[in-house]
Amino acid sequence: MNKKQCTAAAKLIEILKNQGVECIFGLPGGNAIPIFDALAQSDMKLVLTRHEQGATHMADGYARSSGKPGVVLVTSGPGATNTLTGVMTAMMDSVPMVVLCGQQLTTNLGLDTFQEADVSGMSYPIVKHSFLVKDPEELPSIVNQAFHIASTGRPGPVIIDLPKNVTSAYIDEDTSGEFSLPGYTIRKEGSPDAIKEAAAMISKAEKPVLMVGHGAVISGASSEIKAIVEKMQIPVCNTLLGKGCFPESHELNLGMPGMHGTAYANMALCESDLIVSIGARWDDRIAGSPSDFLPQAKKIHIDIDPVEINKTVQVDCAIVGDARSVLDSLYGYLEKGNTQRWVKLIKRLKREYPLKYKKEGKLRAQHVIEEMSRLTGGEAIVTTDVGQHQMWAAQFFKTESSRNFLSSGGAGTMGFGFPAAIGAQMANPGKTVVAVVGDGGFQMTLPELSTAVNEKLPIKILLINNNYLGMVRQWQHMFYENRLSGVDLVGNPDFMKLATAYGMKGFRVKRSADVRKVLSAALEYNDGPCIIDAEVEKYDNVFPMVPSGAGLDKMLLTMPRKKLDKPKGGT
Amino acid sequence: MSDSQKKHNISLFVENKPGVTIRIALVFARRGYNIESFVGSPTQDPNYSRINIEATGDSRTLHLMLEQLNRLVDVIHAREYSDEDVIQKELALIKVRCDNETRTEILQIASAFKCRNVDISDTTMTFQVTGKSSKIDAVRKMLDKFGVLEVVRTGKVLIARGEEETSW
Ligand SMILES: Cc1ncc(C[n+]2csc(CCOP(=O)(O)OP(=O)(O)O)c2C)c(N)n1
Ligand SMILES: [Mg+2]
């Protein structure tokens, strides 16, 4: 008796549903048609994007805001290569994503046939893992493996290359999706000895600081962190990707340290005697020069990925494990020390060195962002693009809970912010989503305006329009005697007219006095996306700034009069 | 010898799947670590392979790379061995120039090192040498003055002693 059969593509969609996938972001092409055909015969939601890079950032924003893997579906060759920037972006920030790529027939691989590209080969350095499915019978197992790998341990992107003859082949409906991955193990619980050692170090410390990173967000360690802070009275700073895991309005929160961090976070780290990284990888944006990063402080590192331990900064105590599980066990061993004087100093630093900008004169980006933060009261999901506006958003958008601030940190991918907001809004239909973008980066993925309009997503695109690739202009101004090279965005479109062209709402704000009125109006508009074109001061620079490669004690609070040396670190 | 010139033996137990070799090689290439030799073959269970790599570089980077290798989904275990920990063998074929005058001396050297003579012609002799890599280096050095025409080496293979399982 013949068993019931279906195409491998139909099976693929069924497995996606079983994996809890609600929507797929993508764009079709010849070698993906069998999959799109199966999609059409299912009730799976497809968000049709205008470019494959956009699809990846949408899936990324979906994943970062929900904790569930984002799914992308594209065709072979150029469709697949267009996803690579987004895949790398997800890899750098440990974002769970599954990218399904159509592929030429298995018999055509390696022969330079039409739209054939060695996508799995290209992907190796920028994925957590990748698969090429050659046997349709293996498809169910491989898809399940991909979701398991993408979403467990340290999450990351997984690419599955799906040849057209594989997806159109018929397989038994009950083909097994089981798998074993002997080379893939996750250490969830930390070593008890290391945890006790860390507890003793924390209990003894007089000037400890917690540094909360993306790992803490991913593991859902918010309440464990809060419990420790409350019991031990330890101040907390958060990395760009750790924003919100511990509420930024808390009196012991120091905001973000590092290159454009708050002065008080950097000063506190310079004074501290113990830094506890909770899922933060001592990125060079914070550590500057990792080989001599704050030698006065002992360091504890909690990370689920053993590769991160001692990768750049040498630590005194390492705990490999899931942040939440580790903190949960750690709590029991902590003995309340005396941090009263330390906390007093922290509060004084916060009072004496607040983030500052001029409210008079030309409209300031900081003003617009701070007002948006105030009006949304910690309830909005904020995505950012990359540049000055990103750093101002990090400084001025007070984030109160995990998964509410989404930014491309490790990769710094311009073009990320707006499509990521689409993904975040898809995952969180009821929430206010604000995309803080620059006039440069926004133009890299703005064709997705069609996508947002089609889906009627009420995203507020807060465009910090300074007519410059501002962050690069700032570096040229500060370190290259203001020789501006390739940063003037002459020929920017009229963004109000652009909004009209896409059939969406546009707002414009030019004067400080109008900020609240215009932002309130935009927040009240919910019939679809809107652009808020904020024409801000062109020549403003982000401060504080620690020149790249320098120690945190070299922080500049304002533009110094004397000439600055070229920074030693990378970009 | 400076730390960055140190040779390391790395032994991996991996899934026998397409692409494994590239993924492993990329870990070395990305940090500019040079691979001296690379030997891989299926184990007693054809689903798995063992790979032995000899590479030169500093110990700190090596430690990082071992973790990065272990992080690869297809790599089940990766570890370093020092020469003392394991049985370590290599095979080499060495072709050397000879004539009537030098032939006897060459044969004497070869027999002292227990080399097998696998080919002989009017003007050349080829030997098979097995043993520790250092022994192969020594033979080669002794034969150099006669004119070594070609050296082909398999690269190191390792196996753990006694009950211990290799690359675990
Ligand atoms: C894809 C990409 N290309 C180039 C860069 C380098 N880069 C970093 S910030 C920046 C300027 C961004 O300009 P804009 O989007 O207008 O933001 P602003 O800094 O003006 O706020 C550039 C070019 C990058 N991060 N990503
Ligand atoms: Mg700009």
Side-chain angles (χ1 to χ4, degrees):
Chain A
M1 188 189 78
N2 274 348
K3 283 194 181 167
K4 263 191 114 177
Q5 292 211 313
C6 65
T7 63
K11 186 76 188 170
L12 166 68
I13 306 298
E14 182 196 316
I15 297 173
L16 296 181
K17 298 215 100 172
N18 292 342
Q19 287 286 351
V21 177
E22 299 162 325
C23 68
I24 299 178
F25 304 92
L27 193 154
N31 285 323
I33 287 183
I35 310 173
F36 279 85
D37 189 45
L39 201 58
Q41 296 170 59
S42 76
D43 57 356
M44 177 69 77
K45 165 91 186 149
L46 170 73
V47 177
L48 173 62
T49 69
R50 293 299 182 267
H51 189 289
E52 291 86 352
Q53 182 184 347
T56 57
H57 296 324
M58 289 177 207
D60 185 316
Y62 179 95
R64 288 188 207 228
S65 66
S66 69
K68 295 188 287 193
V71 181
V72 175
L73 172 58
V74 297
T75 193
S76 64
T81 55
N82 270 349
T83 67
L84 294 182
T85 299
V87 169
M88 182 272 289
T89 305
M91 183 66 179
M92 288 292 256
D93 288 348
S94 312
V95 177
M97 184 187 293
V98 174
V99 181
L100 309 163
C101 303
Q103 178 57 285
Q104 259 286 4
L105 309 178
T106 44
T107 47
N108 281 348
L109 297 180
L111 304 180
D112 301 322
T113 41
F114 182 62
Q115 294 196 332
E116 183 242 341
D118 178 8
V119 170
S120 41
M122 269 182 247
S123 74
Y124 289 149
I126 54 165
V127 291
K128 187 166 172 191
H129 200 58
S130 47
F131 295 94
L132 166 64
V133 188
K134 285 197 171 148
D135 175 359
E137 302 279 332
E138 281 184 354
L139 183 136
S141 164
I142 286 178
V143 177
N144 284 329
Q145 288 177 53
F147 275 88
H148 179 67
I149 293 169
S151 56
T152 55
R154 179 180 188 172
V158 177
I159 286 186
I160 314 181
D161 220 3
L162 295 158
K164 191 175 181 179
N165 56 321
V166 169
T167 49
S168 24
Y170 279 84
I171 58 173
D172 288 345
E173 261 182 1
D174 59 358
T175 304
S176 163
E178 285 173 21
F179 63 87
S180 88
L181 285 166
Y184 184 71
T185 46
I186 299 154
R187 280 182 259 175
K188 199 160 191 270
E189 270 115 57
S191 120
D193 286 347
I195 290 176
K196 278 180 217 161
E197 187 192 337
M201 286 167 77
I202 297 170
S203 303
K204 234 179 27 220
E206 287 170 8
K207 297 185 280 183
V209 178
L210 302 186
M211 186 158 75
V212 174
H214 202 199
V217 170
I218 294 166
S219 80
S222 276
S223 50
E224 286 72 15
I225 291 171
K226 211 178 221 161
I228 290 175
V229 172
E230 239 106 74
K231 173 170 175 175
M232 303 296 291
Q233 290 297 302
I234 303 178
V236 183
C237 60
N238 42 253
T239 68
L240 182 70
L241 300 193
K243 261 174 84 76
C245 192
F246 182 73
E248 287 192 304
S249 59
H250 195 286
E251 59 173 8
L252 288 176
N253 187 294
L254 295 163
M256 179 178 79
M259 184 179 280
H260 291 299
T262 62
Y264 39 88
N266 287 340
M267 288 168 168
L269 285 176
C270 289
E271 275 296 307
S272 67
D273 64 359
L274 176 70
I275 305 170
V276 186
S277 155
I278 306 170
R281 59 185 174 87
W282 318 97
D283 179 81
D284 54 276
R285 303 291 91 171
I286 288 173
S289 154
S291 56
D292 51 13
F293 178 59
L294 303 177
Q296 91 289 346
K298 291 231 179 311
K299 288 156 199 111
I300 297 173
H301 190 178
I302 303 168
D303 206 302
I304 198 155
D305 183 359
V307 169
E308 293 302 339
I309 308 293
N310 293 328
K311 186 180 79 177
T312 54
V313 169
Q314 295 291 306
V315 298
D316 302 279
C317 171
I319 309 172
V320 176
D322 176 72
R324 182 174 180 178
S325 148
V326 169
L327 294 180
D328 189 42
S329 348
L330 182 81
Y331 184 87
Y333 296 110
L334 290 173
E335 282 164 37
K336 191 164 167 27
N338 186 356
T339 59
Q340 257 177 12
R341 283 181 58 195
W342 178 229
V343 167
K344 234 164 121 182
L345 173 67
I346 294 291
K347 287 182 182 163
R348 206 191 76 210
L349 291 174
K350 281 183 80 166
R351 262 195 325 273
E352 284 178 13
Y353 298 92
L355 289 162
K356 275 199 293 227
Y357 61 92
K358 288 206 193 83
K359 284 206 175 92
E360 63 277 5
K362 261 222 87 170
L363 178 61
R364 298 284 169 148
Q366 300 93 312
H367 182 182
V368 182
I369 291 168
E370 189 170 43
E371 190 58 42
M372 189 56 122
S373 171
R374 203 174 295 137
L375 289 172
T376 48
E379 295 294 320
I381 297 179
V382 184
T383 71
T384 82
D385 214 78
V386 173
Q388 292 185 311
H389 64 279
Q390 175 190 34
M391 291 299 106
W392 283 319
Q395 293 176 342
F396 290 96
F397 227 117
K398 297 296 170 229
T399 313
E400 295 304 299
S401 37
S402 284
R403 305 194 179 283
N404 268 8
F405 189 91
L406 321 180
S407 192
S408 167
T413 302
M414 282 170 74
F416 170 86
F418 168 51
I422 295 180
Q425 187 80 80
M426 287 300 298
N428 301 271
K431 274 195 143 179
T432 302
V433 176
V434 179
V436 181
V437 299
D439 48 330
F442 180 48
Q443 292 186 69
M444 290 195 178
T445 45
L446 71 71
E448 304 306 343
L449 285 173
S450 301
T451 314
V453 168
N454 278 346
E455 300 293 336
K456 299 191 179 59
L457 303 175
I459 297 165
K460 322 304 174 211
I461 303 166
L462 182 52
L463 175 65
I464 303 299
N465 189 351
N466 54 9
N467 255 281
Y468 271 117
L469 295 170
M471 186 55 97
V472 181
R473 187 204 52 74
Q474 172 168 353
W475 277 53
Q476 292 173 347
H477 175 197
M478 292 179 68
F479 307 112
Y480 294 82
E481 282 115 40
N482 207 25
R483 281 187 299 278
L484 299 191
S485 176
V487 291
D488 194 349
L489 291 178
V490 276
N492 267 350
D494 178 331
F495 288 100
M496 295 293 279
K497 285 191 183 150
L498 185 81
T500 312
Y502 277 96
M504 59 190 280
K505 187 95 176 153
F507 298 89
R508 178 168 280 158
V509 54
K510 291 181 175 185
R511 297 185 323 153
S512 308
D514 298 334
V515 170
R516 179 169 308 183
K517 192 179 72 201
V518 175
L519 295 187
S520 304
L523 284 168
E524 269 159 36
Y525 175 81
N526 282 315
D527 291 342
C530 66
I531 296 178
I532 308 154
D533 181 11
E535 291 186 1
V536 300
E537 164 63 48
K538 293 170 75 158
Y539 300 106
D540 211 354
N541 292 329
V542 185
F543 285 104
M545 177 168 191
V546 182
S548 126
L552 293 180
D553 56 330
K554 302 290 184 297
M555 174 174 61
L556 308 167
L557 291 176
T558 52
M559 184 68 193
R561 282 180 188 280
K562 71 175 202 321
K563 198 176 154 236
L564 289 162
D565 291 335
K566 292 201 173 60
K568 288 198 282 293
T571 160
Chain B
M1 194 161 53
S2 82
D3 185 47
S4 66
Q5 293 302 303
K6 232 183 130 190
K7 278 199 178 171
H8 300 276
N9 303 315
I10 298 149
S11 173
L12 300 108
F13 187 70
V14 305
E15 293 210 56
N16 186 2
K17 281 187 179 164
V20 181
T21 312
I22 306 179
R23 291 183 211 263
I24 291 169
L26 277 172
V27 169
F28 288 84
R30 202 169 162 199
R31 239 4 266 135
Y33 219 82
N34 195 40
I35 294 179
E36 307 280 334
S37 79
F38 192 110
V39 194
S41 56
T43 64
Q44 67 279 15
D45 177 346
N47 292 317
Y48 301 100
S49 292
R50 268 206 183 76
I51 295 174
N52 291 303
I53 296 173
E54 198 181 4
T56 327
D58 67 277
S59 317
R60 183 156 173 216
T61 305
L62 176 84
H63 174 80
L64 173 66
M65 286 192 327
L66 280 174
E67 292 292 359
Q68 287 174 332
L69 290 169
N70 273 312
R71 183 165 70 175
L72 294 174
V73 172
D74 291 337
V75 171
I76 295 153
H77 280 287
R79 61 164 288 188
E80 191 197 2
Y81 283 106
S82 74
D83 283 347
E84 297 81 61
D85 301 338
V86 277
I87 317 290
Q88 176 241 264
K89 298 287 177 214
E90 185 174 2
L91 182 147
L93 299 172
I94 304 178
K95 189 185 286 183
V96 64
R97 170 79 64 218
C98 73
D99 53 31
N100 288 341
E101 257 168 60
T102 55
R103 188 166 290 124
T104 326
E105 196 184 340
I106 292 173
L107 282 168
Q108 276 170 354
I109 293 169
S111 100
F113 282 101
K114 297 202 172 66
C115 304
R116 264 183 61 198
N117 186 199
V118 290
D119 184 49
I120 189 157
S121 76
D122 281 352
T123 52
T124 67
M125 278 196 284
T126 303
F127 296 102
Q128 171 189 320
V129 200
T130 52
K132 283 204 165 189
S133 304
S134 53
K135 173 183 161 185
I136 295 171
D137 294 339
V139 178
R140 200 229 129 111
K141 213 168 146 213
M142 292 297 288
L143 295 176
D144 250 353
K145 67 172 174 191
F146 305 104
V148 170
L149 301 172
E150 273 183 59
V151 182
V152 183
R153 300 172 72 144
T154 58
K156 264 183 205 178
V157 291
L158 310 171
I159 196 161
R161 293 178 189 278
E163 290 284 337
E164 191 193 330
E165 196 166 342
T166 312
S167 48
W168 222 252

